[in-house]
Amino acid sequence: MALWGGRFSESPADAVFALSRSVDFDWCLAPYDLRSSLAHLRVLQNSGLIKSDAAKRIEGGLRDLIADVATGKFSPNAADEDVHSALERGLTEKIGEVGGALRAGRSRNDQVATDLKLFAIDHMLDIADQIIGLQEALIAKASEYSDAPAPGFTHMQHAQPILFGHEIAKHVHAFARDLDRISDWLTRTSVSPLGSGALAGSGLGLAPEVTAKDLGFSSSSANSIDGVSDRDFVAEALFIISMVGVHLSRIGEEWCIWATTEFGWAKVSDAYSTGSSIMPQKKNPDVAELARGKAGRLIGNLTGVLAMLKGLPFAYNRDLQEDKEPLFDSIDTLRLVLPAVTGMVATTSFDREKMAAAAPQGFSLATEIADFLVRAGVTFAQAHEAAGKCVALCESKGLQLHELSDSDFVGVHPSLTSEVRTSLTVAGAIASRKTIGATGGAALAVQLKDAVAETKDYKTKISTQINNFSEMMSQ
Ligand code: ARG
C-alpha cells in the first residue's frame, strides 16, 4: 500500500517500485516500528488528537499486529513498499480507516530513524553479551595455561619467554575495550528521533521527550533536522563491529599458525574443525580462517556506509535507505562468528612440552644478559652490545647462551661473571617480570583475577540493560 498517492496521476513504474522497495530487508524492523507506534499513539491521545475509543481500537489493532508479526501470521505482500507501509496496511485491515490516524505528527523519516536505533540497541546489547561469553572462555583458557612457558614473539621471531596464559589473556583486554565502546555508543545513541516529523518537528503540540522516555531513550533530538539525518549511530556501530571482527581475525590468525604441523602447539577439537574432500588426513582450522576472513566483510560494510553518508545533504534523502543492509549484515555476521570462536577457544588444547621446549630457543634469553649487566651498573647501550656479542659467539660456536664458558662471558664483558648463568633460565626470566601487566606468574595471577571481576561487572551491567530493553519492548 503506497503512503503517498494523492498528488500523483500515475503509479510508479515497475522499475521504480523494484528499486525503492525495502520491505524484503527492513521487515526485521517490524517489532520496533510497532512499539514506537504505541508510544506515538499515547502522545496523540494525551494531546487530545485521538479520542479514547479510537485510541483503544488502534492500540488493540497494534497489539494484535505485534502478535501476528511474531508468529508470522502477518507478513508483507508484493505491493508493500517498506516495513512502515506494510504495517499501516496490516493495521487498517484489522481496524479500518481509523488506523490512518496514527500518521499525524510523524513521518517515515523519524519513524525509520527510531526503528533502526531501537534495532541497533537491541542487537548491540546481544553482541556485548556474546563478547562477554568469549571473554569468559579466554579467561578460562588463560588460567589453564597460566603456568605454561612458551616463546613470546615480536616480528614473528622468538623475542622473550612468556607464560602462555599471558598470551591468551591479552585478548580479554581487547574485547574489554570493545565492551567500553559499546557502552559509550549506547550513551550517545540514547537520543530519540521520534517527533522530528519529516524534518521540522510537529506543529501538533506532541511531546517528543515523552515518547523518548516511553521508548527507553534518555532524551529526544535537540534538532529535528539532525534527528532525521543522523546515522552516526549506524557508522559507529559498524566501526565497533569491525573492531571486534579485527580482534577475532587476530585470534584466527594465531590459531591457524599454532595449529600448523610446524608449530604443533594447538590441538583444535574435532567439533570446531573441518575436513578436506580429497585429503583424508586433513583437519582444517576453518573457524579461525572464517573469523579472519569475515573481518574484511565487516570493514567493507563500514566503509560502504561512510561513503554513502559522505556529502549527503540534510535532512532525509533516500540514500539513507542504504544504511540498513550493511548494518543487518554486520550484526548477523558477528553473531555467527562469535559463538563459533568462543567454542573453538574453549575446546582447544595446547602442547605444553612443545611450547616449553621452544621457549628458550632463538636466544630468547639474550635480554636477561643485558638486564644482568644493567643491574651490575653497566649502561643499557653497552649491555645490549655485550648481549648481542654473546649471541654472535653462540652462533659461531653452535651453542645456546647458557652453554658459553665463563671465559667466553668475561671475554665479552668484564662484568659478565659466571653468576649470569642463573639468569639464563626460562623460569627465572619469566618470574623476574613482576610489574603490573607483566608475564611473571604472580603478575599474571593478578591480571586474571582482575579480568574475572571486570567481566563479572560487565555481565551484570549488560544483563540489566537487556532486561530493561525487553521490558520496554513488552509495554
Ligand atoms: N524505507 C525508507 C528507508 O529505509 C523509509 C523512509 C522513507 N521516507 C521517505 N521520505 N521516502 O529509509
Side-chain angles (χ1 to χ4, degrees), residues 179-389:
L179 290 174
D180 277 347
R181 281 183 194 96
I182 293 177
S183 170
D184 295 346
W185 174 89
L186 282 166
T187 308
R188 233 180 344 273
T189 300
S190 193
V191 178
S192 169
L194 197 61
S196 298
L199 82 161
S202 162
L204 295 175
L206 306 175
E209 64 285 2
V210 174
T211 38
K213 202 158 176 242
D214 190 345
L215 296 174
F217 290 104
S218 317
S219 62
S220 63
S221 297
N223 180 310
S224 56
I225 304 175
D226 180 54
V228 289
S229 319
D230 165 33
R231 294 295 184 278
D232 293 9
F233 71 97
V234 176
E236 281 192 58
L238 288 172
F239 171 75
I240 296 170
I241 291 174
S242 300
M243 199 72 245
V244 174
V246 166
H247 290 150
L248 290 166
S249 82
R250 295 178 78 174
I251 292 184
E253 171 67 358
E254 279 183 350
W255 246 254
C256 288
I257 293 172
W258 293 340
T260 55
T261 307
E262 285 67 24
F263 261 78
W265 290 8
K267 193 166 173 291
V268 182
S269 71
D270 284 0
Y272 288 88
S273 307
T274 54
S276 154
S277 54
I278 178 164
M279 297 163 285
Q281 87 285 6
K282 288 299 289 287
K283 192 169 127 182
N284 297 326
D286 285 26
V287 172
E289 289 169 329
L290 284 167
R292 214 171 44 186
K294 297 274 189 195
R297 169 183 183 143
L298 300 174
I299 295 166
N301 286 336
L302 167 64
T303 56
V305 164
L306 287 174
M308 181 273 287
L309 289 173
K310 181 194 167 297
L312 197 67
F314 286 67
Y316 182 83
N317 299 273
R318 196 57 177 263
D319 315 43
L320 288 174
Q321 183 164 290
E322 291 298 307
D323 59 0
K324 288 172 204 62
E325 285 166 291
L327 181 67
F328 299 159
D329 181 68
S330 284
I331 287 171
D332 287 348
T333 301
L334 206 50
R335 290 166 88 214
L336 270 181
V337 178
L338 275 167
V341 171
T342 302
M344 176 188 80
V345 167
T347 59
T348 301
S349 61
F350 294 91
D351 190 325
R352 288 168 177 272
E353 281 71 39
K354 268 204 177 129
M355 294 192 297
Q361 284 169 13
F363 308 110
S364 66
L365 294 167
T367 314
E368 307 318 300
I369 297 179
D371 284 354
F372 175 86
L373 285 172
V374 168
R375 281 191 287 268
V378 179
T379 67
F380 190 78
Q382 285 173 349
H384 184 281
E385 179 74 15
K389 284 205 173 108

Side-chain angles (χ1 to χ4, degrees), residues 22 26 82 84 108-109 112 316 318 320-321 324:
S22 58
D26 69 16
D82 59 17
H84 321 289
R108 277 187 297 167
N109 298 352
V112 74
Y316 182 83
R318 196 57 177 263
L320 288 174
Q321 183 164 290
K324 288 172 204 62

Side-chain angles (χ1 to χ4, degrees), residues 106-117:
R106 77 172 179 188
S107 143
R108 277 187 297 167
N109 298 352
D110 55 344
Q111 224 177 322
V112 74
T114 307
D115 296 356
L116 194 60
K117 261 196 180 174

